Amino acid sequence: MLNKIIPVVLSFLLAACATSPTGRTQFIYLDDAQVNKMGLQAFTDLKTKKPLSKNTQYTKFVECIAEAITHESGGAWEVVVFDDKTLNAFALPGNKIGVHTGLIELVDNQHQLAAVIGHEVGHVLARHGNERMSQKTAVNQGVALVSSVSNPTSAVGQLAIGALGLGAQYGIILPFSRTHESEADIIGLELMAKAGFDPRQSVNLWQKMAGASKGNESSEFMSTHPSHDTRIKELSDHMPKAMKFYQQAQSIGKTPRCQK
Ligand SMILES: [Zn+2]
């Protein structure tokens, strides 16, 4: 009996092991196509529920930055600016990016918003949504998860929405782990630098965010960051490498000029 079970368990574990872009071992068992479907569904729902920004200058600004960033990550991405004063942005499996007008108003320049978009795209590239769902659900829950996204008040729906990183949109607190945050920071830092944005501005951005979010833990960013100093230190540690990417990008004419 046992020798029949063990090979099954082993093959499952092998199938479930993946490696993130930074080389970290991940436990992932959900089909990416399913998770992308969830991202798409959640994004479609949000677009009907949340007002979109009518500020074309903001939309152009965000599209200009997202285009440069996603040119480095690859794939076709949809970008939407939501009319929402909270300091938030998100990216979903299935290549969807949402940015709130509150965040656009906060940033001083294109580099700072590039740091946020790079970070969010980093979560998607590293399949954090899938990893979170794989950690928190049973193998047989996959199909239920997909259909639950449209019903964010159900228990499974809350889990799915939270795992996708959309908790703040629905008042569900399920922050990304410190590991996921660090990883998204590092991927984002490289992406922005390769796209020709100044990676040093990421530090300014996170400092600005920390200052502006004091007492308001509802954004994806601040609810997840017990240690702001750790984040700044990690970014600083990776800065020399990011600066090389930045200089390379500039030398080949990647000098985005996205205006707010
Ligand atoms: Zn994050």
Side-chain angles (χ1 to χ4, degrees):
M1 184 66 187
L2 253 187
N3 57 1
K4 270 191 184 157
I5 293 171
I6 288 169
V8 173
V9 171
L10 274 181
S11 64
F12 168 68
L13 284 177
L14 283 176
C17 264
T19 308
S20 80
T22 64
R24 183 176 58 84
T25 302
Q26 297 174 290
F27 173 73
I28 282 182
Y29 71 80
L30 284 168
D31 184 356
D32 280 325
Q34 274 187 329
V35 178
N36 291 349
K37 219 166 152 184
M38 281 184 239
L40 182 66
Q41 182 64 54
F43 201 67
T44 305
D45 287 351
L46 274 181
K47 283 194 287 185
T48 64
K49 282 175 192 149
K50 283 175 78 75
L52 307 182
S53 170
K54 292 190 179 72
N55 186 325
T56 50
Q57 197 55 38
Y58 279 4
T59 308
K60 274 189 204 150
F61 178 56
V62 172
E63 281 174 355
C64 174
I65 296 166
E67 207 174 279
I69 296 268
T70 57
H71 180 77
E72 301 305 317
S73 66
W77 293 70
E78 182 184 355
V79 191
V80 168
V81 179
F82 292 99
D83 190 11
D84 186 326
K85 294 281 174 208
T86 59
L87 304 177
N88 228 333
F90 55 87
L92 292 169
N95 295 0
K96 307 291 174 190
I97 297 169
V99 179
H100 289 188
T101 47
L103 191 60
I104 301 169
E105 276 153 24
L106 177 82
V107 298
D108 295 322
N109 52 52
Q110 58 173 357
H111 311 284
Q112 292 180 3
L113 194 61
V116 177
I117 294 177
H119 171 96
E120 292 302 326
V121 168
H123 277 307
V124 174
L125 295 185
R127 301 158 80 202
H128 290 165
N130 193 340
E131 190 177 5
R132 273 156 40 112
M133 281 185 243
S134 298
Q135 283 164 348
K136 288 176 194 304
T137 58
V139 176
N140 59 7
Q141 264 185 313
V143 176
L145 274 172
V146 177
S147 57
S148 71
V149 170
S150 297
N151 188 8
T153 53
S154 71
V156 189
Q158 291 206 355
L159 196 125
I161 291 288
L164 288 171
L166 282 179
Q169 306 290 334
Y170 294 94
I172 308 155
I173 302 300
L174 183 58
F176 282 108
S177 67
R178 188 57 235 164
T179 305
H180 283 177
E181 283 307 308
S182 299
E183 194 164 66
D185 276 352
I186 290 158
I187 297 170
L189 191 69
E190 288 199 6
L191 277 178
M192 75 180 286
K194 285 179 179 171
F197 296 105
D198 184 346
R200 291 167 296 192
Q201 285 286 326
S202 64
V203 175
N204 303 49
L205 179 273
W206 296 118
Q207 268 157 355
K208 230 172 143 64
M209 286 286 275
S213 315
K214 276 215 174 84
N216 173 14
E217 302 291 289
S218 67
S219 79
E220 191 262 311
F221 310 104
M222 301 338 280
S223 61
T224 54
H225 301 119
S227 175
H228 172 69
D229 295 340
T230 308
R231 154 168 269 167
I232 302 298
K233 193 192 169 297
E234 282 174 352
L235 286 171
S236 307
D237 288 346
H238 285 85
M239 205 55 77
K241 192 176 169 195
M243 285 304 288
K244 280 195 191 124
F245 286 131
Y246 179 45
Q247 280 146 10
Q248 272 165 18
Q250 285 184 311
S251 71
I252 54 169
K254 285 184 187 170
T255 50
R257 286 189 182 81
C258 310
Q259 304 274 352
K260 181 151 68 156

